[in-house]
Amino acid sequence: MLVVVGGGPATAGGPQPPPSRPTEPSTGPCPLGKTPRDMEIGEFKDFVAKHESPHGLAGDPHVYVDTKGHPTVGIGFNLDRADARARLAAVGANYDDVRAGRVNLTQVQITVLFEQTMAEATTDAYALVANFDLLSTARQAVLIDMIFNLGRTGVAQFQNMLVALNRGDYETAASEMENSAWKQQTGTRATQDVTLMRRGLMCDPLPPGVIPVIPPVSSDIPGYVYPGGTGYPGGVITFQPSNGDGTGDGGNDTMRCNFKKIEVFYNDHWITVLDIYC
């Protein structure tokens, strides 16, 4: 079994249970006839992936050049990043062959790289917003999507938005996003982020396939609670508990964590464990 370690240092004293999230309004943000609901974990990752690749969670197995001139592969994985060679080696891929286009990534490799990058973005989100745990899952998805798009340094420049988020003023946070040069330059992605920041909840039905059927639960993650999984194309599935104490948080799993294991399930086997610190 391959073990991949990502993220920053573990919290001193071991993982701590996350604080309770305030109850979101049950009516109001959605159009007439649609029921507001929290965003599920698979939907969270699908939302970000669709902005990073036209193929969503399937990603791009073959290298391409992104809009900023960087060779890119998978779900927005930048091959110019300093640790790209080591990251590809950790998933069993040859960096030079992938970058030259001689070898494509498998779906498992794409999935592992994306899950690691999601964990890194979560670490950045905690650094930028002290009450990240208290945001609805949809608003967490917006912040992480912006980090994928702009990097931690770029999002840090949205000082008024971050101040508003830390005090729970989501309308101001959305307005700061809406009135920025980033919104004008980014188009549909930014529009979707602004809308989701303002609503804080989902209105449409779950997209098909991203909430997977439960395979046999691994003893490595005994706290796993449905629906904390993500269904990737090709039968690749990831599962995770909601926090490091193995309790889960019922039906509304979020990206919050101090320490967690993310397991990859493929071809009727648990094949990879990602130890994530954030």
Side-chain angles (χ1 to χ4, degrees):
M1 179 177 285
L2 171 68
V3 179
V4 183
V5 179
T11 303
Q16 302 297 317
S20 299
R21 190 192 319 155
T23 303
E24 295 281 359
S26 59
T27 59
C30 294
L32 187 65
K34 293 191 175 183
T35 303
R37 60 175 178 80
D38 206 357
M39 178 182 268
E40 304 293 357
I41 192 69
E43 189 177 18
F44 185 123
K45 293 174 183 176
D46 184 60
F47 177 79
V48 176
K50 284 178 177 174
H51 289 156
E52 289 294 309
S53 167
H55 308 296
L57 290 170
D60 296 87
H62 193 79
V63 66
Y64 67 95
V65 178
D66 71 8
T67 56
K68 297 180 181 178
H70 297 290
T72 305
V73 73
I75 305 173
F77 187 83
N78 180 357
L79 291 171
D80 280 339
R81 54 184 285 172
D83 63 350
R85 183 179 294 274
R87 285 295 177 89
L88 263 66
V91 299
N94 181 284
Y95 175 84
D96 294 322
D97 286 343
V98 171
R99 183 169 181 135
R102 293 188 293 267
V103 172
N104 289 349
L105 294 183
T106 67
Q107 184 63 57
V108 171
Q109 291 168 332
I110 290 170
T111 297
V112 170
L113 290 171
F114 180 59
E115 289 281 2
Q116 288 179 318
T117 309
M118 288 290 292
E120 293 167 354
T122 303
T123 301
D124 291 339
Y126 276 107
L128 292 169
V129 178
N131 68 347
F132 180 74
D133 276 334
L134 302 183
L135 302 180
S136 70
T137 316
R139 290 183 174 122
Q140 290 180 342
V142 170
L143 187 60
I144 287 180
D145 190 58
M146 291 181 71
I147 291 170
F148 262 79
N149 185 213
L150 298 169
R152 174 173 167 176
T153 302
V155 177
Q157 295 177 24
F158 285 71
Q159 295 181 8
N160 292 336
M161 179 198 76
L162 296 173
V163 168
L165 279 178
N166 275 308
R167 68 170 183 259
D169 183 355
Y170 305 123
E171 178 58 39
T172 296
S175 295
E176 288 293 328
M177 295 164 61
E178 192 166 37
N179 296 325
S180 68
W182 164 77
K183 166 67 166 55
Q184 304 307 315
Q185 296 164 359
T186 308
T188 301
R189 180 178 193 163
T191 298
Q192 291 177 349
D193 282 346
V194 169
T195 298
L196 203 54
M197 176 62 73
R198 189 163 274 132
R199 285 180 174 171
L201 294 167
M202 302 301 294
C203 298
D204 297 321
L206 281 167
V210 299
I211 306 298
V213 176
I214 307 174
V217 176
S218 167
S219 60
D220 290 329
I221 50 170
Y224 164 70
V225 178
Y226 178 81
T230 304
Y232 289 80
V236 180
I237 303 174
T238 62
F239 286 91
Q240 64 195 67
S242 65
N243 56 62
D245 64 5
T247 61
D249 75 338
N252 290 319
D253 214 348
T254 73
M255 288 303 294
R256 65 162 68 100
C257 73
N258 291 309
F259 167 81
K260 70 171 71 173
K261 289 181 181 291
I262 298 177
E263 292 216 10
V264 182
F265 186 82
Y266 176 66
N267 199 22
D268 295 326
H269 294 89
W270 299 96
I271 61 169
T272 301
V273 179
L274 306 179
D275 287 340
I276 302 297
Y277 301 86
C278 56

